[in-house]
Amino acid sequence: MSKIWATEYPAVLTAAFALIVIGLVTGHWWLASTLTLGGYILWIYARLAKLEKWIRRGTKVSQVYDDGGFIGIIIRRLHQQKKTHNQRKKKTKQILGRLNRNISALPDATVLLNPDLEIEWSNEPARYLLNVRSPQDLGQRIGNFVRSPEFLDYLANEDAREQIEIPAPSDPSITVHVRNVAFGGGQRLIIARNISDQKQLQESLKNFVANASHELKSPLTVISGHLEMLDGEQRLTDTGRASLKTARRQAARMRDLIQNLLLLSQVESYQLRPDEGERVALLEVMTNTMAAMDKFEDRDRVNWDYPSDLYLLAVKSEIEGICINLVENALKYATPGTPIDVRWQANELGEYSFEVSDRGPGIDSDELPHLTERYYRIAHNAADTTGSGLGLAIVSQASNKHGASIEIDSAPGRGSTFRVIFPSYRCLQAERPTARVFNLSDY
Ligand code: ADP
């Protein structure tokens, strides 16, 4: 028997006793039953009326209603549940408060947006970086505060890049790095960080590398000239000749490295608008690319295929940088003796593509995303001292600058194909005039 019924025993026994006494005294058992039952119902009713009064007054924790019977037990259980619920609510509130304080203290500007891009919450740094004040601006669209078209495109485009860099709406001299984190119910968290210091540091580093490379160029030319002169010297011993050979090889390597550093800093030093560029003849680019391969003894394994009447609206030294680096890589890394195909092609969309295919060892798919990072070299090739890890960084930066896309098709054992596709607005034919021609000296 449950505890609830056990509490009612005394009342039931009292009622039974009353029934028997009234029945014996009056001799009317019907009357006795009605009186006893009525009394019992009235007693329960009185307890319920007390309960109602207690609820009406408010359920105080210190004064839990207890009628000593089953109603008291039910109420105590309900009350216990309510107490646990209140404790949980208090704890959740504390956690939320702590979370709120922690997010508010984040050094990054943080803004929570609803699916309509209206501001639901923002912290203090959002005021300084994005001009968003809380609580005044809550409910307003983020586009009213951050008007950069790049930012609005970034929010509108679901498949957008992971992050963007824009000038801060509060002060355009500050660069902010913005991330859009989507989460449940179409909400988004916009996190913006001031990266002006990093930008400045990167700029100074770039300038330092560019200046240092430039300064190294002249002494290196002098050293290379002297080494060349010594090459014709008859009185050199065998050891001296071996040392001279090593010195010349290292000087050539240093020259390539400096050239690559200078080309990379040139590529990054300015932006190219879609209608800007020189009229670059692919024929000339390929002639120079072939000449640059003279240092490879096995250069005859390259099959060259290019039309003589195609032109690009581009920066010539940078297009040559793309071609030379891709062909040089094929000659360096493809298995000796295997053929290499180099091809320029025009497609039906009016785009020109430059493609280098080899039948070399191929590249593991894990490595592919990193190939265009500067100084990145694949571990097993790192022993090859002729590389610097700058070649594909130049290819990538110069392609981006010209609006071209890069495709790398490679798998271990299947060889590699590197393809750079130039957009139609850069692709010219012999008779078509150039949209706008400039000289590099303009910059
Ligand atoms: P590096 O100066 O080392 O050649 P790159 O940036 O040109 O630098 O290339 C980066 C790495 O990519 C190279 O170290 C090499 O391991 C790999 N790589 C580039 N081209 C090829 C290719 N055609 N076949 C195999 N590996 C290649």
Side-chain angles (χ1 to χ4, degrees), residues 102-316:
N102 288 348
I103 298 180
S104 296
L106 280 179
D108 297 343
T110 313
V111 181
L112 180 66
L113 300 180
N114 68 14
D116 295 325
L117 303 184
E118 289 161 353
I119 301 163
E120 289 204 334
W121 181 92
S122 69
N123 66 356
E124 194 56 16
R127 180 194 191 109
Y128 304 114
L129 280 187
L130 304 177
N131 274 349
V132 175
R133 293 157 310 158
S134 184
Q136 297 94 311
D137 299 332
L138 301 189
Q140 298 217 46
R141 286 175 69 89
I142 185 78
N144 296 342
F145 303 94
V146 189
R147 293 173 189 274
S148 145
E150 201 185 343
F151 174 75
L152 299 176
D153 273 2
Y154 176 59
L155 283 191
N157 187 357
E158 296 273 304
D159 310 316
R161 285 168 289 154
E162 269 188 18
Q163 62 236 351
I164 51 164
E165 284 173 18
I166 53 167
S170 55
D171 178 356
S173 67
I174 297 178
T175 307
V176 284
H177 171 287
V178 181
R179 279 190 74 144
N180 168 18
V181 183
F183 61 99
Q187 288 184 310
R188 295 138 184 266
L189 200 61
I190 302 296
I191 304 168
R193 171 178 295 181
N194 180 348
I195 54 159
S196 299
D197 288 350
Q198 278 155 271
K199 272 266 175 213
Q200 260 170 14
L201 193 68
Q202 268 175 13
E203 276 310 306
S204 354
L205 262 174
K206 264 190 211 164
N207 288 341
F208 170 75
V209 171
N211 291 338
S213 312
H214 196 74
E215 292 303 321
L216 282 171
K217 214 173 148 184
S218 315
L220 185 65
T221 313
V222 176
I223 293 171
S224 301
H226 282 287
L227 290 175
E228 240 164 71
M229 258 168 49
L230 274 177
D231 213 21
E233 177 60 58
Q234 301 299 322
R235 284 168 293 167
L236 277 181
T237 60
D238 284 352
T239 323
R241 201 157 288 285
S243 299
L244 181 63
K245 201 172 158 198
T246 310
R248 285 196 64 182
R249 207 174 46 237
Q250 291 303 326
R253 191 179 164 222
M254 207 161 153
R255 195 189 50 231
D256 286 351
L257 183 63
I258 289 174
Q259 259 169 12
N260 274 341
L261 282 170
L262 284 173
L263 182 56
L264 193 57
S265 61
Q266 180 203 306
V267 173
E268 289 174 338
S269 62
Y270 61 90
Q271 305 272 326
L272 200 62
R273 283 207 313 268
D275 62 347
E276 281 181 330
E278 313 163 70
R279 187 185 179 81
V280 179
L282 295 187
L283 182 67
E284 207 181 323
V285 170
M286 289 328 279
T287 311
N288 292 342
T289 306
M290 283 191 261
M293 297 308 129
D294 280 352
K295 60 185 171 190
F296 291 96
E297 281 172 8
D298 60 346
R299 58 187 176 277
D300 289 346
R301 63 186 172 124
V302 183
N303 305 311
W304 304 91
D305 175 6
Y306 54 91
S308 57
D309 58 344
L310 299 187
Y311 297 80
L312 279 178
L313 181 66
V315 181
K316 184 163 157 261

Side-chain angles (χ1 to χ4, degrees), residues 41-55:
I41 290 173
L42 274 178
W43 182 62
I44 291 181
Y45 182 78
R47 284 155 68 194
L48 285 174
K50 263 190 183 173
L51 169 67
E52 190 274 335
K53 195 173 159 198
W54 177 74
I55 291 175

Side-chain angles (χ1 to χ4, degrees), residues 260 325-326 328-334 356 358 360-363 370-373 375-382 384 386-395 410 415-418:
N260 274 341
N325 275 299
L326 288 181
E328 224 178 77
N329 275 353
L331 277 161
K332 275 194 308 194
Y333 301 116
V356 180
D358 64 53
I363 301 162
H370 304 289
L371 283 187
T372 53
E373 290 167 15
Y375 308 115
Y376 188 84
R377 307 196 67 210
I378 298 177
H380 65 87
N381 286 331
D384 170 81
T386 57
S388 58
L390 287 176
L392 291 179
I394 291 175
V395 173
S410 185
S416 312
T417 298
F418 289 79

Side-chain angles (χ1 to χ4, degrees), residues 314-327:
V315 181
K316 184 163 157 261
S317 54
E318 295 176 14
I319 302 301
E320 279 178 7
I322 294 176
C323 299
I324 292 174
N325 275 299
L326 288 181
V327 181

